[in-house]
Amino acid sequence: MNPKTLHKISYGLYVICSKNGEKINGQIANALFQVTSEPPTIAVSINKQNLTHEYIKKSNFFTVSILSENTPMIFIGNFGFKSGRDIDKFKDVEYKLGKAKMPIVLDNTLACIEAKVIDKIDAGTHTIFIGKVEDAEILSEDKSMTYEYYHKVKGGFSPKTAPTYSSMVDKKTKKEEEKMNKYVCKVCGYVYDPEKGDPDGGIAPGTKFEDIPDEWVCPICGVGKEDFEKEK
């Protein structure tokens, strides 16, 4: 079986948020789709280990922020590779509370959705939450971020808790990219491509990894250059 076949399925990139009492949390997700139009329902797959999963189960509500192509990697890293158990993900992030008082991330957001959970499907490591859309709003007409764009242009990878994560595919892909003199973060899998640089971090395209300032950190997880590896 070729596991890369599953990469041909189209995905977006979203911030899914929920609330537990006064506590709020959010995470990056890419497995979200519309189920029906009347009534409008959507489904999202969330790993059972994630704090957002716990909050959705307790509140029976979740929100969706559809991300723009221009979303900085550091923003994706904040919601995708860090845990709300350890940090406040919403520090310095613009958000609002929706009709159900659930947090909705506004930064880098094209459109947002509020949904009430009406069903759950146990999918082993994940739960598929099916939600009836309670409210929806378009904020921008810019292009939405696709997982393909995030992977091929931004150089990002899925965290291990994502439904699309495949250790076999990611290890093979990282090895191939290392052969092309790209540098891979050993912590989160971010790939530094010298041809693209890291414009969000002030590193111009064409900058060799060796020429990046020592204070530069991974735009996704924040580790230093010493946690990157190249072709050996």
Side-chain angles (χ1 to χ4, degrees):
M1 184 184 80
N2 184 353
K4 282 191 174 181
T5 302
L6 297 175
H7 285 188
K8 298 300 181 182
I9 300 174
S10 179
Y11 298 95
L13 214 62
Y14 316 94
V15 179
I16 309 298
C17 296
S18 194
K19 188 177 181 182
N20 178 19
E22 296 302 314
K23 299 177 181 178
I24 60 176
N25 196 60
Q27 67 163 77
I28 294 291
N30 62 1
L32 179 142
F33 58 95
Q34 183 174 347
V35 180
T36 62
S37 57
E38 289 296 335
T41 58
I42 58 176
V44 64
S45 180
I46 303 292
N47 191 285
K48 293 177 181 178
Q49 298 178 16
N50 292 355
L51 186 61
T52 304
H53 181 280
E54 176 185 327
Y55 284 13
I56 295 175
K57 281 192 68 177
K58 290 186 177 180
S59 70
N60 279 320
F61 278 93
F62 64 90
T63 67
V64 180
S65 294
I66 302 172
L67 297 181
S68 158
E69 264 190 7
N70 298 321
T71 303
M73 291 296 280
I74 192 169
F75 178 90
I76 297 172
N78 178 57
F79 282 99
F81 288 88
K82 297 179 181 179
S83 173
R85 297 182 179 94
D86 304 323
I87 66 166
D88 176 9
K89 294 185 180 184
F90 290 83
K91 183 180 180 181
D92 302 322
V93 172
E94 184 181 357
Y95 71 96
K96 69 176 182 179
L97 297 181
K99 291 184 175 180
K101 305 303 180 184
M102 295 291 122
I104 301 172
V105 170
L106 300 176
D107 285 344
N108 308 299
T109 297
L110 302 180
C112 52
I113 301 170
E114 297 181 63
K116 180 179 181 180
V117 176
I118 57 173
D119 204 354
K120 306 179 186 73
I121 300 174
D122 190 325
T125 58
H126 291 64
T127 297
I128 299 173
F129 293 101
I130 300 175
K132 179 178 177 293
V133 175
E134 299 286 299
D135 197 19
E137 181 182 6
I138 295 176
L139 305 177
S140 170
E141 296 296 337
D142 291 343
K143 286 186 178 181
S144 58
M145 175 86 78
T146 64
Y147 184 75
E148 181 179 24
Y149 186 89
Y150 166 69
H151 174 65
K152 293 186 176 180
V153 178
K154 293 280 193 176
F157 281 88
S158 299
K160 291 183 178 180
T161 55
T164 52
Y165 176 78
S166 168
S167 59
M168 185 187 308
V169 171
D170 282 2
K171 285 178 181 177
K172 183 176 179 182
T173 303
K174 290 174 191 176
K175 188 173 181 180
E176 291 170 350
E177 288 173 337
E178 286 170 355
K179 289 181 179 178
M180 294 186 288
N181 296 320
K182 297 177 182 179
Y183 290 72
V184 183
C185 177
K186 294 182 288 185
V187 176
C188 70
Y190 168 77
V191 180
Y192 176 79
D193 183 346
E195 293 184 5
K196 300 173 184 176
D198 174 24
D200 292 336
I203 307 301
T207 303
K208 293 181 180 180
F209 186 80
E210 294 85 350
D211 296 334
I212 298 175
D214 291 338
E215 61 270 19
W216 180 83
V217 297
C218 175
I220 290 186
C221 67
V223 299
K225 291 176 63 179
E226 65 276 8
D227 286 310
F228 279 70
E229 60 184 5
K230 64 177 180 178
E231 180 179 336
K232 297 180 181 179

